[in-house]
Amino acid sequence: MRARIVIVDDDPSMCDVIATRLRREDLDARWFTSANDALATLQTESFDVVLTDLRMPGTSGIELCQRIVCDYPGVPVLVMTAFGSLETAVAAIRAGAYDFVTKPVEMDLLVAALNRALNQRDLELQVKRLSQTVERSQPFEEMIGESPVMRELFDQLHRIAETDATVLIHGESGTGKELVARALSKRSCRAAGPFLAVNCSALPETLLESELFGHARGAYTDARSDREGLFVQANGGTLLLDEIGDMSLSLQPKLLRAIEERRVRPVGGDHEIAFDVRLIVSTNHDLETAKDEGRFREDLFYRINVIQVELPPLRARGTDVLLIARHFVERFAGRFGKPVVGIAESTAKKLLSYDWQGNVRELRNAMERAVVLTQLEKISVEDLPEKIRDHQGSRLFIAGDSPIDLPPLDEMERRYILHVLQSVSDNRTM
């Protein structure tokens, strides 16, 4: 749909000249010679941007700007002021105006300013729409997403949450594997039971065996008393074995036996102990390849790979990046007591173009840093980590259809080449 612009100026000829030019830019322009007439129309019709003169009889441009900011906060206001009236322009910005242009108006500069305002409005509407769908798109605790790939994931999780089937969660580091496991636990029939997790890559083999299966008193030097392992401690609940792909080959058959028989023998113990848990495992490794290469037991792989859940990387989730970033900004603004209310348009473009190799974890850290450092109400590009600020993305993000917003052909070609190289892991012989 064509963007709708309201022009307010007590000079009809000026209004007509501006409206004629904007219509040539495929914009739907309406003009009024008084602020009150414009306000009356805004009560019954929706518009995308208001362009107003400052000095008018009756209700001034400053007062009109204040009214619009208060009653129609999603509509940006551009003000026109006589050349050199810097103090008046500053007063308009303080009243909530998005930008200002000086008179006599240079039409090319006015069109560029209007396009920036329209892009800002589009972005804010998109973020608002995404924020309004948080409840619908957050069916599992703090899992946030509205992209098609996340909708498909949520549908899968809905179907498997209440079962007792073993789940294998696969995804890159930072994609939220433990968050998914906790969500499945809370939505399952075992929600009242414990949820325990252990990182299989964080402990040496002997300690991991004791952690999982427990130990008897005297099993080793520091074993001064019997200790139940996680399989028994999680009885009636859910046990997550995180990064199972890093578990040693010698410990894997003991794990397989425990899963098959639902019984464990503590290290140094004489008796087996029965347990009843739902098992969830996660990994960032390709276990299928590890199995074929002999780095992971085939029988254990098939035993844990009952239902596989694939977590998409953040770079494959489109505008979910903005929704998650907004969530973190609100969280950290509240925690640190800072009046940060959102993300600037230029910042949003940076977040969308960045490749997020660290996924949601990296985004979380970036937003925490930005909230701590910012001195503005909205996160700016300067508040982002240097790595993100200086990143030259291979993905092409075009904010609008105006020639002003389109990148040069050589920039499009550069990003296309980078995208192709990334897709083939920089293998230039393919």
Side-chain angles (χ1 to χ4, degrees):
M1 295 179 61
R2 297 169 65 194
R4 307 189 69 195
I5 313 297
V6 170
I7 305 166
V8 188
D9 195 312
D10 60 337
D11 182 352
S13 61
M14 173 63 72
C15 290
D16 190 56
V17 168
I18 295 175
T20 300
R21 172 58 190 274
L22 297 186
R23 287 166 188 151
R24 290 206 302 266
E25 299 291 334
D26 200 29
L27 298 172
D28 183 1
R30 295 268 302 277
W31 57 269
F32 303 90
T33 55
S34 80
N36 289 334
D37 289 343
L39 286 171
T41 303
L42 283 168
Q43 291 177 354
T44 58
E45 300 181 47
S46 61
F47 291 88
D48 298 299
V49 179
V50 173
L51 173 66
T52 180
D53 191 17
L54 283 182
R55 299 186 180 278
M56 297 182 293
T59 302
S60 69
I62 292 288
E63 293 171 320
L64 174 62
C65 182
Q66 292 171 333
R67 287 281 303 276
I68 293 174
V69 169
C70 178
D71 298 337
Y72 311 97
V75 179
V77 180
L78 270 71
V79 297
M80 297 180 289
T81 180
F83 180 76
S85 301
L86 183 59
E87 291 183 2
T88 308
V90 170
I93 297 298
R94 288 176 176 171
Y98 172 76
D99 202 352
F100 70 92
V101 292
T102 58
K103 286 186 172 184
V105 175
E106 294 186 30
M107 289 300 175
D108 288 341
L109 295 179
L110 174 61
V111 170
L114 285 170
N115 279 320
R116 288 195 300 271
L118 287 169
N119 289 336
Q120 173 70 14
R121 174 169 168 77
D122 288 345
L123 188 63
E124 289 182 352
L125 286 174
Q126 184 179 52
V127 171
K128 182 179 179 181
R129 189 190 74 248
L130 291 172
S131 298
Q132 289 173 342
T133 61
V134 166
E135 291 299 325
R136 178 165 55 88
S137 64
Q138 187 178 323
F140 293 94
E141 305 308 315
E142 293 187 0
M143 296 177 63
I144 297 173
E146 184 64 13
S147 59
V149 67
M150 290 304 290
R151 291 179 184 175
E152 185 177 343
L153 173 64
F154 292 151
D155 179 65
Q156 182 187 20
L157 296 180
H158 269 304
R159 286 182 279 121
I160 66 177
E162 295 185 2
T163 72
D164 255 359
T166 301
V167 178
L168 169 60
I169 304 173
H170 177 261
E172 294 180 7
S173 178
T175 50
K177 296 186 287 296
E178 183 170 341
L179 186 62
V180 171
R182 289 183 180 276
L184 287 173
S185 173
K186 291 183 179 181
R187 292 291 179 125
S188 74
C189 58
R190 297 175 176 269
F195 174 88
L196 300 179
V198 61
N199 189 324
C200 298
S201 65
L203 297 174
E205 179 182 341
T206 54
L207 291 182
L208 180 59
E209 182 179 7
S210 175
E211 188 75 9
L212 292 176
F213 307 135
H215 61 251
R217 179 183 179 183
Y220 49 86
T221 304
D222 293 328
R224 297 185 176 88
S225 61
D226 294 344
R227 183 180 183 277
E228 291 181 339
L230 292 179
F231 274 104
V232 176
Q233 293 179 41
N235 203 52
T238 303
L239 176 62
L240 168 64
L241 302 184
D242 192 18
E243 301 304 348
I244 194 172
D246 293 319
M247 180 178 287
S248 67
L249 279 170
S250 58
L251 187 55
Q252 289 179 24
K254 299 177 184 178
L255 174 62
L256 175 63
R257 185 174 184 275
I259 297 173
E260 292 283 2
E261 298 185 4
R262 296 286 165 171
R263 303 178 70 86
V264 293
R265 183 189 296 272
V267 177
D270 297 325
H271 305 286
E272 293 185 336
I273 304 173
F275 65 85
D276 174 27
V277 302
R278 182 188 191 175
L279 185 65
I280 299 178
V281 300
S282 66
T283 182
N284 60 10
H285 296 299
D286 181 356
L287 292 188
E288 186 95 35
T289 300
K291 167 184 69 68
D292 295 340
E293 294 177 353
R295 293 182 286 107
F296 197 86
R297 287 183 63 97
E298 183 176 19
D299 47 7
L300 179 59
F301 171 76
Y302 288 119
R303 184 61 186 83
I304 62 175
N305 191 28
V306 178
I307 298 176
Q308 184 165 336
V309 173
E310 189 72 29
L311 299 191
L314 186 56
R315 59 185 172 276
R317 295 175 54 181
T319 54
D320 280 356
V321 172
L322 299 184
L323 182 58
I324 299 170
R326 178 67 175 267
H327 167 77
F328 286 137
V329 168
E330 292 175 354
R331 173 194 289 183
F332 293 123
R335 178 183 299 179
F336 301 132
K338 301 198 66 173
V340 185
V341 297
I343 299 168
E345 176 187 5
S346 56
T347 308
K349 291 179 181 179
K350 276 289 184 183
L351 298 181
L352 288 170
S353 65
Y354 187 63
D355 54 14
W356 299 109
Q357 293 298 314
N359 293 292
V360 177
R361 184 182 293 120
E362 184 180 9
L363 177 59
R364 178 188 185 279
N365 293 340
M367 291 302 97
E368 181 175 8
R369 176 190 190 276
V371 170
V372 169
L373 294 180
T374 191
Q375 296 179 322
L376 305 172
E377 288 188 344
K378 292 188 175 182
I379 300 298
S380 68
V381 173
E382 288 70 27
D383 300 320
L384 299 175
E386 182 178 359
K387 180 181 179 182
I388 301 175
R389 290 199 310 266
D390 298 340
H391 178 73
Q392 298 295 319
S394 62
R395 287 184 292 172
L396 186 60
F397 178 78
I398 299 175
D401 296 326
S402 168
I404 298 173
D405 297 317
L406 296 175
L409 183 60
D410 58 348
E411 173 65 9
M412 295 177 67
E413 182 180 11
R414 185 190 70 80
R415 298 191 195 183
Y416 176 77
I417 292 171
L418 286 174
H419 182 75
V420 171
L421 289 173
Q422 286 182 2
S423 66
V424 297
S425 300
D426 209 30
N427 184 351
R428 305 187 183 209
T429 63
M430 295 183 66

